[in-house]
Amino acid sequence: MARAINFSAGPALLPEPVLRQAAEEMLDWHGSGMSVMEMSHRGPEFISIYEEAVALLRELLAVPANYKILFMQGGGLAENALVPLNLLGKAGKADYVVTGSWSKKSYKEAQRYGDVQLAADAAALSGDGKYRGIPPVSEWKLRPDAGYVHVCNNETIDGVEFFFTPGTGGVPLVADVSSHVLSRPLDISGYGAVYGGAQKNIGPAGLTIVIVRDDLLDRAHALTPTAFEFKTVAENDSMYNTPPTYAIYIAGLVFKWLKSQGGLAGMEARNIEKAKLLYEAIDASGLYGNTVAKDARSRMNVPFFLKDEALNADFLKGAKERGMVQLKGHRSVGGMRASIYNAMPIEGVRALVDYMREFEKARG
Ligand SMILES: *Cc1c(COP(=O)(O)O)cnc(C)c1O
């Protein structure tokens, strides 16, 4: 069986050892006579799986003791509503920084729930409506009485990543970390809350992770659905309703794998090496281009363009023949996109770069 070299933006590839272990344990988890999918979420077997997953995530990200880790459902898009419902608070105000398609969606959805303003818009600055970097923090229009400031730490579609934690003058910072969480250490204490769907860099779709400072748990709007109230979820150890049990199990295996790879510092070193290899190949070529400011180029999602767009279809066809799939760019951006999450080995990036050179030589 040949596994594809999978550059999907999400749901994305998982570490092969994790898939193998899950396959081995599919019918009988640790002598329980049950698949994890068949277990009660309140039984001792699953509780041990859950507790280990939470503890490993806390350890990997060095989550401070005054933050709760919540395992929810609904993905990043549900959080676009759940964040304002839970965190706007009495003043009902929040400021949003838009650096790409995902933060734009977050901003639009949040507007339904309160006085939500645009603090900065990267597309307005670039002159052509494209997202190419992060507006200087000194120019963000922040209100000191806002409930929070929202950013997307890694724009999966546009390939723009924050490599710093912006100061917001004491207003809690909330970040969508869906597509770069666990790719490197992140100072959680710089945030009021972070959230993300699991299917990019953690595990299967269906699990959503929220990490929230405990002093922010008392702010929910009265109409927040009980099952989605951060406080309720926290007080019930993510078991107010049935959590996505199998996805939590796989996430736990991924966390163990990450630990075996040297934790997030080890992961970061590998991710830097992979991204460098790919961006250097793009920059050195006459055929390929990437238009994101160098200090904001995502290590996880690398959009690139062929200067002659008529070659796109042939490029993708040749890639597929070499086992490389899901390289087509998002429809809103065009071109190509290589997502090179934690589970992508450097050999996969090497294969892509070799193919890009070969294609340029033949067709560029
Ligand atoms: C994929 C993604 C989302 C959407 O997640 P869903 O699980 O589809 O709701 C939101 N934000 C970012 C940054 C993403 O990459």
Side-chain angles (χ1 to χ4, degrees):
M1 176 210 59
R3 301 244 317 143
I5 306 175
N6 181 359
F7 294 97
S8 171
L13 78 174
L14 285 164
E16 204 171 301
V18 165
L19 295 176
R20 287 189 190 286
Q21 184 173 346
E24 265 167 38
E25 296 176 345
M26 177 61 75
L27 295 182
D28 177 12
W29 183 83
H30 295 200
S32 65
M34 290 178 277
S35 168
V36 174
M37 272 181 264
E38 303 170 306
M39 288 173 183
S40 163
H41 59 297
R42 305 202 187 277
E45 296 92 349
F46 184 74
I47 295 286
S48 73
I49 290 170
Y50 160 81
E51 282 175 349
E52 187 173 20
V54 176
L56 281 165
L57 181 57
R58 193 173 279 282
E59 182 186 338
L60 284 166
L61 269 175
V63 177
N66 61 325
Y67 285 73
K68 301 282 190 219
I69 294 176
L70 315 181
F71 288 164
M72 300 182 67
Q73 303 186 61
L77 288 184
E79 291 304 323
N80 284 347
L82 299 176
V83 163
L85 278 168
N86 277 284
L87 300 179
L88 273 174
K90 284 226 162 48
K93 292 184 186 176
D95 295 328
Y96 276 64
V97 177
V98 171
T99 53
S101 315
W102 285 116
S103 49
K104 189 175 179 188
K105 267 203 167 112
S106 300
Y107 166 60
K108 287 249 145 96
E109 178 77 1
Q111 281 181 306
R112 302 174 61 201
Y113 299 98
D115 170 6
V116 167
Q117 288 192 18
L118 195 56
D121 180 0
L125 288 181
S126 70
D128 60 0
K130 296 220 157 45
Y131 297 107
R132 296 222 179 80
I134 297 163
V137 181
S138 57
E139 290 169 22
W140 294 6
K141 287 197 232 69
L142 299 179
R143 295 173 292 177
D145 58 342
Y148 63 89
V149 176
H150 181 280
V151 295
C152 176
N153 263 0
N154 184 60
E155 290 282 357
T156 320
I157 292 172
D158 307 277
V160 174
E161 181 169 2
F162 278 78
F163 290 102
F164 62 98
T165 305
T168 48
V171 176
L173 179 65
V174 176
D176 179 350
V177 297
S178 294
S179 54
H180 85 164
V181 66
L182 303 179
S183 66
R184 59 181 160 96
L186 190 69
D187 179 12
I188 297 294
S189 71
Y191 299 84
V194 301
Y195 65 88
Q199 70 271 24
K200 314 287 166 62
N201 216 10
I202 295 181
L207 169 64
T208 310
I209 284 174
V210 177
I211 302 175
V212 56
R213 213 170 65 205
D214 55 16
D215 65 297
L216 300 176
L217 292 174
D218 275 323
R219 300 179 165 204
H221 189 282
L223 290 179
T224 308
T226 310
F228 292 113
E229 206 176 62
F230 292 165
K231 190 178 185 183
T232 308
V233 180
E235 284 176 353
N236 289 278
D237 290 325
S238 300
M239 308 232 186
Y240 173 76
N241 70 325
T242 313
T245 51
Y246 197 77
I248 290 171
Y249 156 71
I250 299 286
L253 297 184
V254 171
F255 299 155
K256 253 186 241 172
W257 175 79
L258 284 170
K259 220 179 138 174
S260 77
Q261 302 294 301
L264 301 195
M267 235 39 251
E268 178 173 39
R270 269 163 238 225
N271 287 328
I272 288 174
E273 198 185 348
K274 289 186 292 179
K276 190 161 174 273
L277 187 62
L278 184 48
Y279 283 115
E280 280 181 359
I282 292 168
D283 291 341
S285 98
L287 178 62
Y288 309 104
N290 166 286
T291 59
V292 175
K294 286 198 173 154
D295 61 357
R297 282 174 159 184
S298 170
R299 284 184 198 146
M300 294 286 100
N301 309 99
V302 182
F304 60 95
F305 306 92
L306 274 64
K307 286 170 190 161
D308 178 1
E309 293 207 341
L311 295 175
N312 282 354
D314 284 354
F315 180 86
L316 288 167
K317 188 165 166 272
K320 183 128 197 266
E321 284 161 11
R322 289 159 180 79
M324 290 178 267
V325 300
Q326 304 276 2
L327 279 165
K328 194 174 168 165
H330 189 272
R331 60 189 179 279
S332 67
V333 173
M336 307 296 151
R337 171 177 51 174
S339 295
I340 50 175
Y341 296 118
N342 285 343
M344 173 61 69
I346 189 144
E347 292 75 21
V349 181
R350 271 204 201 102
L352 174 60
V353 166
D354 288 348
Y355 168 60
M356 287 166 70
R357 292 206 179 105
E358 182 192 324
F359 185 86
E360 181 171 4
K361 228 171 166 182
R363 308 288 304 275

